[in-house]
């Protein structure tokens, strides 16, 4: 049977789709300073969308609601910074003692460190002087570097705030426009429904995860305070925030707590802060989160891991923040993400 002359060639359609996707990714990478904070603004807007809807139902104008949410986020960040600032100052004051403890540790394990240094020297000789030049060029950021980065950070903050305000202000119009462009005719209402469903799912997911992470932060802070670790409040806040970045966040905090144990304790107590955190984190990951979140969202862990690695490589820390929401929204829009089936056979539809 011959193919209709008006029917599009599937190979051509796939090729065009791949080229368009590659061009889009290239544009997102090149203009990272603009698109990364803009994507973060969209994700934050999706998370706070139910709150915005409730405030609008109370009779508040949409512009006032959007501005109020932005002001609330600003004051929440300022309050967090005010709470953490004394502990950060304490850590800065203790930098000399931290360096001394690390130096003593390196002296104790100097044999192993010398062996590693000899191996790295052989590798450097084999690869050539380029490795040495690149390693020498990488140093601790100076005040000059900070001054150069300040305008970029300020510009990204303005992009984020402006994007968040206008997204909250016009998100319903954006959904309708995209549904009309993606779908055609009778498919338009279905696509609009998927946009709304994706928004509700991501918002509920992050609401549940925020409650879980807050509980984890309280538990970690209280446990570290009981064993006498300095700055236990800061570690608890760090445990809450870093738990939003799956896999890598907990790994980074575990390494930090191991370092804190080396600096502040001796003997087996050196590993106590890290062991306490890992125990609480595993309890949260294996029991608490699946019971609260798993019943609503079912995602392949490998897919989440790959998405997280891709967005971290693509946009760095901001990519790690938006990785999970973007993945959830994409899966819901393409109707890939289904609800978890009920374990009760009687509850399943016939």
């Amino acid at each position: 049977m011959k193919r209709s002359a008006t029917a599009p060639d599937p190979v051509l359609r796939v090729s065009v789709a791949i080229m368009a996707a590659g061009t889009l990714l290239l544009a997102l990478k090149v203009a990272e300073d603009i698109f990364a904070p803009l994507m973060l603004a969209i994700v934050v807007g999706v998370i706070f969308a139910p709150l915005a809807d409730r405030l609008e139902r109370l009779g508040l104008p949409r512009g006032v609601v959007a501005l109020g949410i932005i002001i609330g986020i600003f004051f929440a960040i300022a309050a967090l910074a005010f709470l953490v600032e004394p502990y950060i100052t304490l850590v800065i004051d203790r930098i000399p003692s931290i360096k001394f403890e690390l130096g003593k540790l390196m002296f104790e394990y100097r044999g192993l460190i010398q062996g590693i240094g000899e191996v790295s020297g052989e590798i450097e000789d084999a690869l050539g002087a380029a490795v040495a030049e690149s390693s020498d060029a990488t140093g601790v950021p100076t005040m000059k570097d900070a001054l150069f980065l300040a305008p970029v950070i300020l510009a990204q903050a303005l992009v984020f705030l402006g994007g968040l305000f206008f997204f909250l202000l016009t998100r319903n119009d954006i959904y309708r426009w995209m549904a009309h462009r993606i779908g055609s005719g009778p498919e338009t209402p279905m696509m609009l429904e998927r946009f709304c469903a994706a928004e509700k799912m991501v918002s509920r997911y992050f609401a549940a995860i925020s409650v879980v992470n807050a509980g984890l932060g309280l538990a970690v802070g209280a446990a570290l305070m009981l064993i006498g670790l300095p700055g236990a409040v800061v570690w608890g806040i760090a445990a809450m925030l870093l738990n939003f970045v799956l896999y890598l966040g907990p790994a980074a905090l575990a390494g930090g707590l191991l370092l804190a144990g080396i600096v502040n304790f001796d003997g087996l107590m050196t590993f106590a802060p890290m062991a306490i955190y890992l125990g609480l984190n595993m309890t949260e990951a294996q029991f608490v989160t699946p019971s609260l979140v798993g019943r609503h969202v079912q995602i392949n862990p490998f897919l989440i891991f790959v998405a997280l690695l891709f967005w971290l490589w693509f946009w760095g820390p901001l990519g790690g923040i938006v990785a999970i929401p973007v993945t959830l929204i994409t899966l819901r829009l393409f109707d890939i993400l289904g609800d978890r089936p009920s374990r009760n056979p009687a509850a399943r539809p016939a």
Side-chain angles (χ1 to χ4, degrees):
M1 182 177 180
K2 294 184 178 181
R3 184 181 301 160
S4 174
T6 59
D9 187 355
V11 177
L12 179 61
R13 293 181 61 184
V14 172
S15 301
V16 171
I18 293 175
M19 292 173 58
T23 304
L24 177 62
L25 289 176
L26 179 61
L28 292 176
K29 182 64 176 178
V30 172
E32 175 182 349
D33 292 337
I34 296 176
F35 286 111
L38 188 60
M39 180 66 73
L40 180 62
I42 294 174
V43 168
V44 174
V46 168
I47 294 173
F48 283 94
L51 176 61
D53 290 338
R54 291 184 180 181
L55 294 176
E56 287 182 29
R57 285 195 292 267
L58 295 177
L60 295 176
R62 186 170 299 177
V64 175
V65 170
L67 185 61
I69 290 177
I70 292 176
I71 293 174
I73 293 174
F74 173 79
F75 276 106
I77 295 175
L80 183 63
F82 180 78
L83 179 65
V84 173
E85 188 272 335
Y87 300 97
I88 299 297
T89 304
L90 178 62
V91 171
I92 294 175
D93 292 338
R94 293 194 59 190
I95 285 179
S97 62
I98 292 174
K99 289 182 177 180
F100 174 77
E101 293 292 338
L102 291 178
K104 186 173 66 174
L105 179 68
M106 294 178 66
F107 179 77
E108 293 175 355
Y109 294 94
R110 61 187 181 278
L112 176 62
I113 295 173
Q114 288 174 357
I116 295 175
E118 293 175 358
V119 172
S120 63
E122 294 175 359
I123 295 175
E124 183 177 315
D125 294 337
L127 294 178
V131 176
E133 293 177 359
S134 63
S135 62
D136 291 339
T138 304
V140 179
T142 61
M143 182 62 68
K144 183 179 179 181
D145 298 328
L147 291 176
F148 276 114
L149 286 175
V152 177
I153 296 175
L154 179 60
Q156 290 181 341
L158 292 177
V159 170
F160 169 76
L161 294 176
L164 178 58
F165 176 79
F166 288 109
F167 178 78
L168 290 173
L169 192 65
T170 63
R171 79 179 200 282
N172 293 328
D173 297 332
I174 294 174
Y175 293 160
R176 282 192 290 268
W177 180 84
M178 294 185 66
H180 179 72
R181 294 294 178 181
I182 296 176
S184 59
E187 295 182 357
T188 301
M190 179 187 66
M191 291 305 302
L192 181 60
E193 182 180 353
R194 287 185 182 178
F195 274 110
C196 296
E199 181 183 82
K200 292 180 181 178
M201 181 191 64
V202 172
S203 181
R204 291 175 180 174
Y205 171 81
F206 268 86
I209 287 296
S210 298
V211 172
V212 172
N213 291 349
L216 175 66
L218 288 174
V220 170
L224 295 180
M225 193 176 296
L226 288 176
I227 66 172
L229 181 68
V233 174
V234 175
W235 289 112
I237 294 174
M240 177 185 67
L241 297 179
L242 290 177
N243 210 46
F244 283 100
V245 183
L246 300 181
Y247 307 123
L248 299 182
L253 188 63
L257 285 172
L258 176 60
L259 179 61
I262 292 174
V263 172
N264 293 281
F265 299 111
D266 296 320
L268 293 178
M269 280 297 294
T270 298
F271 304 97
M274 182 182 68
I276 290 173
Y277 169 70
L278 290 178
L280 292 173
N281 183 264
M282 291 180 63
T283 302
E284 170 266 321
Q286 297 297 323
F287 301 102
V288 181
T289 298
S291 62
L292 292 180
V293 180
R295 67 183 67 178
H296 302 296
V297 180
Q298 184 180 15
I299 313 173
N300 190 311
F302 178 74
L303 177 62
I304 293 296
F305 182 72
V306 171
L308 185 64
L309 289 181
F310 171 79
W311 285 104
L312 281 170
W313 164 79
F314 198 68
W315 277 347
L318 284 180
I321 296 174
V322 305
I324 307 305
V326 169
T327 303
L328 291 176
I329 292 173
T330 304
L331 293 177
R332 176 59 73 183
L333 288 181
F334 288 96
D335 203 21
I336 300 174
L337 184 62
D339 294 333
R340 184 181 294 274
S342 174
R343 296 184 180 180
N344 184 4
R348 298 177 182 174

